[in-house]
Amino acid sequence: MPKRPSAWRSTGLSAHIVGWGMAVPSGVMTNDDLAALVETSDEWIRDRTGIRERRIANESESTATLAHKAALAALEVANMLASELDLIIVATSTPEHVFPSTASLVQDWLGATRAGAFDLSAACSGFVYALDVATQAIRSGSAQNVLVIGAETMSRVLDWQDRGTCILFGDGAGAVVLSAGEDEGGVLSSVLRSDGAGCDVLLIPTHNVRDAQGHRINRMYMAGSEVFKFATRVVDESIRQAVEEAGLTLDDVSLIVPHQANQRIIASVAKKLRLDESRFMSNVDKYGNTSAASIPIALCEAIEQGRVKEGDHLVMVGFGGGLAWAALVLRWGIPARLKQAPTLVKQRRVLEYTLARWRARLVRWQRGLRQLWRRFSPGRLWRQWRARQRSDKNR
Ligand code: COA
């Protein structure tokens, strides 16, 4: 396997996770709730997937609002100002719009005035892909602080009559702040892969897609058993490759944070790697499959449970639509540069958020006034009056 080009490490900087946060809707949908919608049962869902319940967004919640909430929490842990961010990446399959990007909305709401922003589409592998892109931006020296978010409202694209898919997914968001450090560690290696020949086994169409009868389709489609086979074929191998690229062995890895799709997939990967299932973080029972959000949500809960400590080696691994998959290894630790707490950051953060809200309002008012001025400016009214006079004369 060819190694990464050496230019990757030319600045001597590494990318460390220095902040993290998650946001899930408060609305809980249990398996029994689902059994009232489609022909299924709590027992079937638990046996085949390990899922007990999932969170479903209400009318006022969206991918962007969940992403924003997770971002606020991550910036608070990082003790960082939004204006210190250089880049915001939102990994999502359920963006607010095709464009503008959900990342641009989050950038505006945070008041991250110096940051570039874009969405990344790599389905359930999106968060790991985004971490890799962010790491490269940091290592090349083009960014110092990057906010990476995985956010989804899968409930909006599900076919609620298809029991093969609607039982699996949920809504939520997770975010991390990656920051440059001269200390060794942070992201050590990553493996990104794709096999587009499998593009038709798991997909969310846009408005352009029609079925064989010519009807537009806009709901998720999944060939469940094909996806299951794919996942159990590629995940263990990509973990092995990423661990080897990092110069480590599986024994060095204290926790694997896999995409939370199905407990049976996690169990199968653990068996193939000859690792105890307890070395894998799992919260699929509480949230179901939240696609690009599942890994950062699981990471946040692993940290909360005290399962991640300074110096630990972690693997994150995603897989899903594309077909695409990705594994990444990192050594946990906050760079020395960020350990001394800067003063008044909390107050400045709150001030920035308030200013961001007012700035967005002012920009809109200004635009509204410009439009009014264009419609009712004296020059325009005069031209309209003259045109009316001329047409009256000609009549
Ligand atoms: N409740 C009850 N029965 C169901 C059901 C449900 N929610 N969904 C499917 N079934 C039925 C099927 O209709 C089928 O019935 P039949 O034998 O009479 O035709 C039977 O259960 C078996 O279906 P099958 O699709 O073979 O089940 P499975 O064991 O493969 O489990 C999944 C289905 C979806 C749980 C499983 O394929 C899976 O988890 N795949 C991976 C999905 C995934 O993780 N996707 C996201 C990746 S990012």
Side-chain angles (χ1 to χ4, degrees), residues 40 44 48 124 163 167 222 224-225 227 259 261-262 289 319:
T40 190
W44 194 96
R48 303 285 176 118
C124 305
R163 65 178 180 172
I167 57 146
M222 182 180 74
S225 58
V227 177
H259 168 46
N262 184 324
N289 179 344
F319 53 88

Side-chain angles (χ1 to χ4, degrees), residues 167-382:
I167 57 146
L168 297 172
F169 295 90
D171 302 334
V176 298
V177 177
L178 272 186
S179 197
E182 280 165 10
D183 326 44
E184 288 230 326
V187 177
L188 301 177
S189 67
S190 55
V191 168
L192 310 185
R193 295 286 183 271
S194 168
D195 176 9
C199 63
D200 50 352
V201 300
L202 178 55
L203 59 94
I204 301 174
T206 64
H207 49 278
N208 290 323
V209 181
R210 291 170 189 268
D211 66 14
Q213 284 77 44
H215 301 122
R216 281 187 198 283
I217 44 170
N218 56 5
R219 292 285 175 246
M220 171 186 285
Y221 169 78
M222 182 180 74
S225 58
E226 289 300 320
V227 177
F228 194 95
K229 274 184 243 156
F230 145 73
T232 50
R233 182 165 48 80
V234 300
V235 174
D236 61 309
E237 194 45 42
S238 62
I239 293 175
R240 279 188 205 280
Q241 279 175 18
V243 169
E244 195 189 317
E245 265 203 39
L248 304 171
T249 69
L250 283 172
D251 290 339
D252 300 316
V253 175
S254 48
L255 187 69
I256 297 176
V257 185
H259 168 46
Q260 307 287 308
N262 184 324
Q263 192 59 39
R264 277 163 60 216
I265 294 179
I266 296 176
S268 155
V269 173
K271 198 167 159 204
K272 279 183 151 181
L273 292 173
R274 297 207 181 89
L275 293 176
D276 197 87
E277 232 176 289
S278 62
R279 304 249 310 262
F280 288 71
M281 177 62 198
S282 172
N283 58 6
V284 70
D285 59 328
K286 288 199 287 181
Y287 304 116
N289 179 344
T290 54
S291 193
S294 88
I295 294 176
I297 290 176
L299 175 69
C300 285
E301 293 208 332
I303 297 167
E304 207 176 279
Q305 291 165 15
R307 294 181 72 178
V308 182
K309 293 184 198 68
E310 177 109 15
D312 279 358
H313 289 113
L314 263 61
V315 174
M316 299 185 210
V317 61
F319 53 88
L323 298 166
W325 61 104
L328 178 141
V329 178
L330 66 88
R331 188 179 313 140
W332 194 259
I334 308 287
R337 175 176 75 79
L338 293 168
K339 276 190 178 152
Q340 60 275 53
T343 47
L344 290 178
V345 172
K346 192 171 175 195
Q347 291 84 339
R348 283 161 65 196
R349 238 190 341 263
V350 172
L351 183 67
E352 269 194 8
Y353 298 152
T354 314
L355 287 177
R357 264 202 307 277
W358 279 102
R359 185 192 162 276
R361 273 183 209 157
L362 274 176
V363 167
R364 285 189 187 109
W365 283 341
Q366 220 182 7
R367 201 183 307 127
L369 281 177
R370 258 203 315 271
Q371 277 163 5
L372 272 180
W373 176 252
R374 241 180 268 136
R375 276 181 70 187
F376 299 111
S377 72
R380 188 187 159 110
L381 292 177
W382 167 248

Side-chain angles (χ1 to χ4, degrees), residues 3-67:
K3 290 270 176 231
R4 293 269 182 182
S6 55
W8 230 51
R9 296 192 172 89
S10 61
T11 58
L13 293 169
S14 21
H16 302 258
I17 292 182
V18 300
W20 50 88
M22 60 177 273
V24 288
S26 53
V28 176
M29 183 182 251
T30 64
N31 291 344
D32 285 333
D33 295 333
L34 271 165
L37 294 179
V38 288
E39 209 184 317
T40 190
S41 66
D42 175 47
E43 196 191 353
W44 194 96
I45 301 173
R46 268 192 291 117
D47 281 359
R48 303 285 176 118
T49 70
I51 301 167
R52 290 170 184 274
E53 56 187 42
R54 69 286 294 140
R55 301 298 178 97
I56 304 292
N58 65 29
E59 278 304 308
S60 65
E61 287 166 321
S62 71
T63 298
T65 66
L66 293 169

